[in-house]
Amino acid sequence: MTPGEFEFLKNFLKTRSGLVLSNDKQYLVESRLLPIARSSKLETLSAVIQTLQRSGNRALETDVIEAMTTNESFFFRDKTPFDNFRDTMLPALLQSRSNFKQLKIWCAAASSGQEPYSLAMCLKEEAAKMGGWRTRILGTDLSLEVLEKAKAGLYSQFEVQRGLPIQLLLKYFEQKGDMWQIGAPMRSMIEWKKLNLLENFAHLGEFDIVFCRNVLIYFDQATKSEILARLAKSLPEDGYLVLGAAETVVGLTDAFKPVPGKRGLFQKKPAVHAATGPGASTRFAAGGVAGLRR
Amino acid sequence: MKQCLVVDDSSVIRKVARRILEDLQFEITEAEDGQQALDECRKTMPDAILLDWNMPVMDGLEFLTSLRAEEGGESPIVVFCTTENDVAHIARAIRAGANEYIMKPFDREIVEAKFQEVGLI
Ligand SMILES: C[S@@+](CC[C@H](N)C(=O)[O-])C[C@H]1O[C@@H](n2cnc3c(N)ncnc32)[C@H](O)[C@@H]1O
């Protein structure tokens, strides 16, 4: 891989998935893309990149983009967000939405499904308080590969032992050979869709709660700001945004403010919901990033 | 420092578990079977017990049942750690008073996650 090829790949990933690759990540590129070089019979990294440069090979483009995503996830990751969900978000929304009895939750980087399924289990555990309520969880991700896994709800013994209390494993999973599958009632609570956060997602409508965890960390400041500004439009005034443990809105947008004392939890600032990120206006002016794809 | 009793008939497993748990700031005692473990508990009740199932002399489930009937035996947090990985075994362990359950093979991350789960770390 020549410096020029690496530069091309960096730009390609930045525009297509938002991923920012620093120059010291050559090893990462090699370990993630060499398997693709082999399976696509192109053999070398250079050949893969040259094929991308000629463009038009959609399957290869998707393979490269998906291979460069980091999909690690586990059940009840970091615990606090799920405690906040049960103890702060749910009680507030159960009260404020008591007329409609409807709750919409979006996991915007759902990966292999552990996060939405953790929320589904939380909801089931609170079912006694939610008689007559309709809840909908939407799980989206850029990568179809992880969404397939999420949909199947099949996890290895290793995966079900990271963060999942044994009682919940017994209660909600079935053993399938040496794998564990989350039960059909849980799977039916969640809808899965492929979605790139760089693209317009206004058509998804409004959500009461958005989990957008451990994905913004891979993007640059402008992209983070722009996505946060659009997320604000997907939430009502009293909705909640949940970010990952290493993520914040501070310095990125005026649309959200941290909820005091609740790590990773954010709400909209009253009356300020204009897009404020530096990237926001230019990207919209260019017709959205979706326009850049073709 | 919290005390953890590691009960396993394999010295290799005890050694691996000891290394992981010492890194998590536990003081470790060891037992090779359920009877030895019970004797240890009668001397000093540990804060936590990492417990194998299949062992000679007295197995893990028998130990746990006896322990929970002892005076002060409700207090230790018991985490099973066994190759028995089917629903029936797990359910029996929980009914007998186990707090968590690790299916072997395990690694550092799993032990840490499970010990966090039960509030030991
Ligand atoms: C580390 S996982 C986070 C999973 C889960 N939210 C959690 O915190 O455990 C990051 C996920 O973001 C997805 N992703 C990366 N870029 C994306 C983009 N532009 N749009 C949507 N999803 C993206 C990846 O495919 C990956 O599954």
Side-chain angles (χ1 to χ4, degrees):
Chain A
M1 184 170 51
T2 66
E5 285 163 356
F6 185 66
E7 206 49 39
F8 171 85
L9 188 68
K10 267 172 63 177
N11 276 322
F12 172 79
L13 291 168
K14 170 87 195 325
T15 32
R16 295 294 296 270
S17 71
L19 178 69
V20 173
L21 267 189
S22 53
N23 287 330
D24 58 352
K25 291 285 162 64
Q26 303 235 4
Y27 74 93
L28 185 73
V29 170
E30 278 167 23
S31 69
R32 299 275 183 89
L33 298 190
L34 275 176
I36 293 181
R38 291 196 193 102
S39 63
S40 62
K41 301 272 186 305
L42 290 162
E43 302 310 334
T44 67
L45 257 182
S46 288
V48 169
I49 295 173
Q50 283 159 22
T51 310
L52 291 177
Q53 280 171 324
R54 283 196 298 278
S55 87
N57 190 336
R58 282 301 203 119
L60 185 70
E61 290 175 14
T62 306
D63 284 352
V64 168
I65 292 166
E66 294 200 4
M68 288 308 300
T69 58
T70 299
N71 307 117
E72 187 183 54
S73 188
F74 27 97
F75 290 102
F76 296 97
R77 183 176 196 169
D78 299 334
K79 209 158 183 291
T80 315
F82 300 93
D83 292 343
N84 287 341
F85 177 69
R86 186 194 54 213
D87 301 333
T88 305
M89 297 180 244
L90 264 189
L93 291 167
L94 288 188
Q95 195 155 40
S96 60
R97 307 282 189 275
S98 58
N99 286 335
F100 309 102
K101 290 199 180 340
Q102 202 188 55
L103 216 55
K104 281 173 74 185
I105 303 167
W106 177 24
C107 290
S111 190
S112 35
Q114 285 93 331
E115 180 176 279
Y117 284 131
S118 299
L119 290 169
M121 286 185 271
C122 286
L123 285 171
K124 270 283 189 279
E125 293 289 300
E126 299 295 301
K129 299 173 193 155
M130 300 188 66
W133 280 72
R134 275 187 303 150
T135 50
R136 186 184 147 214
I137 303 175
L138 175 67
T140 66
D141 201 281
L142 169 74
S143 161
L144 270 183
E145 195 183 329
V146 291
L147 283 176
E148 285 305 321
K149 182 179 156 99
K151 211 179 287 181
L154 263 179
Y155 299 96
S156 70
Q157 184 167 296
F158 182 75
E159 288 170 313
V160 295
Q161 297 204 82
R162 287 179 80 189
L164 185 66
I166 196 71
Q167 303 273 9
L168 296 186
L169 179 74
L170 274 187
K171 201 161 162 183
Y172 295 116
F173 286 74
E174 285 163 31
Q175 202 159 18
K176 291 274 157 88
D178 51 9
M179 304 287 279
W180 293 81
Q181 184 172 40
I182 193 152
M186 292 291 117
R187 276 180 278 140
S188 69
M189 287 174 73
I190 307 173
E191 193 188 328
W192 308 97
K193 272 198 185 113
K194 180 181 158 94
L195 182 103
N196 186 343
L197 285 168
L198 297 187
E199 295 173 11
N200 184 13
F201 46 71
H203 59 279
L204 297 178
E206 235 179 34
F207 295 89
D208 302 295
I209 298 173
V210 177
F211 273 62
C212 183
R213 302 167 68 218
N214 302 305
V215 62
L216 296 182
I217 30 167
Y218 300 105
F219 305 157
D220 66 11
Q221 302 289 100
T223 310
K224 288 180 198 176
S225 296
E226 192 268 336
I227 292 172
L228 285 169
R230 283 188 289 126
L231 284 176
K233 295 182 178 155
S234 300
L235 283 162
E237 293 304 321
D238 60 349
Y240 293 95
L241 171 69
V242 184
L243 297 180
E247 296 162 333
T248 181
V249 302
V250 176
L252 292 169
T253 176
D254 289 329
F256 290 102
K257 59 175 191 326
V259 176
K262 305 282 170 194
R263 196 161 50 81
L265 189 57
F266 303 87
Q267 284 201 290
K268 294 218 288 190
K269 277 189 191 166
V272 182
H273 30 91
T276 47
S281 49
T282 48
R283 278 180 196 258
F284 276 119
V289 180
L292 298 175
R293 289 194 60 175
R294 276 155 265 271
Chain B
M1 224 181 191
K2 283 186 178 159
Q3 271 228 345
C4 183
L5 174 62
V6 175
V7 192
D8 202 304
D9 57 341
S10 150
S11 61
V12 177
I13 299 274
R14 289 200 307 273
K15 205 163 145 191
V16 173
R18 170 188 280 273
R19 201 173 307 141
I20 295 173
L21 289 164
E22 281 179 347
D23 286 348
L24 296 170
Q25 308 301 315
F26 284 90
E27 197 182 311
I28 305 300
T29 46
E30 294 183 19
E32 292 176 26
D33 60 57
Q35 187 56 54
Q36 278 189 16
L38 211 51
D39 295 343
E40 275 302 321
C41 289
R42 285 174 183 151
K43 272 189 266 166
T44 16
M45 224 22 115
D47 301 290
I49 301 172
L50 189 72
L51 181 62
D52 188 17
W53 193 303
N54 297 306
M55 292 176 291
V57 189
M58 184 192 284
D59 73 19
L61 192 72
E62 220 180 309
F63 160 76
L64 177 58
T65 312
S66 316
L67 172 76
R68 291 307 192 208
E70 294 264 320
E71 194 179 324
E74 333 73 48
S75 70
I77 290 176
V78 175
V79 180
F80 255 104
C81 184
T82 166
T83 48
E84 302 294 349
N85 65 354
D86 56 287
V87 170
H89 273 91
I90 301 174
R92 272 172 77 194
I94 302 292
R95 271 202 308 276
N99 301 84
E100 257 298 343
Y101 200 103
I102 294 173
M103 297 175 269
K104 287 175 181 169
F106 63 98
D107 63 6
R108 188 173 293 264
E109 276 179 25
I110 289 177
V111 173
E112 205 173 330
K114 290 292 185 179
F115 272 57
Q116 245 162 28
E117 194 50 55
V118 290
L120 279 165
I121 44 177

